Amino acid sequence: LLGLDALFVSVCLLLSFGAVAGAVDGRAGVGHPTSANCTLQWHTQTTDHFQMDPTSSLPSTFQQRVFVNKQYWKEGGPIFFYAGNEGNVELYVNHTGLMWEHAEEFNAMIVFAEHRFYGESQLTPGASGPSPDQFKFLTHEQAMADYATFMLEFKVEHCSSKDCKVIVFGGSYGGMLAAWLRMKYPHLFHGAIAASAPILFFPGMNPPRDTNNYWQVVTRDASPEGGSAAACAKNINNAWGVIDSFGQTKEGLATLSSVFHTCDPVTDSWLLKMFLAMAFDTMAMGNFPYPSDYLSGGNGFLPAFPVRAACEHLSTPNLAGKDLLEALNNAAALYNNVTAKEQCYSIPDHKHVEQDGIWDYQWCTELMPQETYFTMTGVTDMFWDQPYNSTFIKEHCMSKYNIAPRTYWMAAQYGGLDFLPYTSNIVFSNGLLDPWSSGGVKTNISDSVQAIIIPNGAHHIDLFFSNKDDTPDITFARQFHINNIKKWLQNK
């Protein structure tokens, strides 16, 4: 770890969590371990892995946050490593039950590393993200190099055995990183569980990208095929035209402000529509079979199958006018007011229409998937006609960051399905209730690069703790992962 003098360690309270396989719900900290069961380590990480600039005024290193649990580790056992994604790493520590529940079985050490610029791993201590002159270091390549160099040093420090193999786990962007780490650094990462990883959602890849598929899955969730009320998707589809109609007059805008309880008067019906669409988007990702606070960041629980619950407000056929708008607001409020404390809603402005913070920079540079820019048609989905607009994207990115996307960079590096036959030891899992499954690998590539489909699964639910309400396909997927890990570890 760059020498013990480079490591600042504070030991968290180490609690015995007993039979974690008996966890019974999706709540962080209820019946299963959390970050409180870990040792917190601060790893001195290199700011720029790819060039040396002695004239730079920026710090050459920063402190990267890492959580470690050695409760079940024995010499020769593997390291279960979570590749942190675009959030506070404690979210993943507290929810990635697949690693916790099987550590004892494998004599495994558990390690969660935080992604640079997210959470507390900042170039400027105490910051909440990069300063304008630091954004250039927010790339997936830099993050992967963080994980690779950390793991090399960590293994030297902790593993005397050459058989100390690393299995990398990740969900969503973390799942993409997990797969790419196995592809790019196979000598460090022996296998990868890549859950809900939309690695095919880039221009120039095989198969060709169709971003409308994303919103089609959201629509399916709000339809009888997804278990929702028959009238729901049609009512939602009709609501956008009603909003636009109200948005044509001063009186209509005042009505929209009142019905949707906005903190400031509505001045742009499109921004309101995007705000509401993102509520259904998030509920589709979180379409779990039990209440969960995962996608609310611990700020309140979405109900079981939240899209179905939201659609109950839109179950009356042929709603119209203000009645339709009030029903739409009540449906979206399951997410928008998940705290049950919101007095009004703040609608994002044009500069922040993506509603996803600094992730927008990763879109603007590498086109890391961001659904707010994806194609809607209003015909193949329940939204409105909004084609993918590369001109708008370029203007937005230039205005906000003075940078334009490198359209084919990710395809040049990873190639989509064309590259996967040349790698090994990866499982791609996708839940069909999760809209990100539309950009995932859903067919087997080889005996060691496999895909598993979870018909009742939403966003990387197979990485979560076991739950009494898990459907059989979710349980099967978790065992599928474990069986593959056993196979990988047995192969020299």
Side-chain angles (χ1 to χ4, degrees), residues 17-164:
F17 51 85
V20 295
V24 295
D25 70 16
R27 307 183 186 201
V30 178
H32 59 67
T34 70
S35 57
N37 296 80
C38 299
T39 298
L40 170 62
Q41 301 184 355
W42 291 98
H43 174 68
T44 299
Q45 188 58 262
T46 300
T47 298
D48 189 351
H49 293 281
F50 304 112
Q51 67 177 11
M52 300 179 67
D53 182 5
T55 66
S56 175
S57 61
L58 296 172
S60 61
T61 63
F62 68 96
Q63 295 302 307
Q64 181 180 22
R65 195 163 56 142
V66 180
F67 287 91
V68 179
N69 180 284
K70 298 182 182 179
Q71 181 171 358
Y72 295 120
W73 186 62
K74 295 180 181 178
E75 183 66 33
I79 296 173
F80 285 177
F81 176 76
Y82 189 93
N85 33 315
E86 72 285 20
N88 185 317
V89 72
E90 290 183 76
L91 177 68
Y92 315 115
V93 178
N94 295 344
H95 286 85
T96 311
L98 185 69
M99 294 167 61
W100 287 103
E101 291 179 355
H102 295 278
E104 183 175 17
E105 176 184 356
F106 285 92
N107 299 322
M109 187 190 312
I110 296 174
V111 180
F112 290 83
E114 189 164 65
H115 194 295
R116 56 171 57 203
F117 294 117
Y118 293 99
E120 297 180 17
S121 299
Q122 303 288 337
L123 259 65
T124 302
S128 59
S131 61
D133 58 346
Q134 295 172 355
F135 266 109
K136 61 185 177 182
F137 301 118
L138 176 56
T139 69
H140 85 282
E141 293 102 333
Q142 295 281 7
M144 288 171 61
D146 288 344
Y147 296 150
T149 56
F150 163 78
M151 186 50 63
L152 182 63
E153 296 158 8
F154 190 81
K155 288 179 68 175
V156 169
E157 185 72 28
H158 290 82
C159 303
S160 60
S161 170
K162 66 179 181 180
D163 292 328
C164 185

Side-chain angles (χ1 to χ4, degrees), residues 382-398:
M382 65 183 184
F383 297 95
W384 60 91
D385 185 22
Q386 182 172 294
Y388 184 89
N389 189 335
S390 57
T391 300
F392 168 81
I393 291 167
K394 183 176 180 179
E395 290 175 353
H396 167 78
C397 294
M398 289 298 296

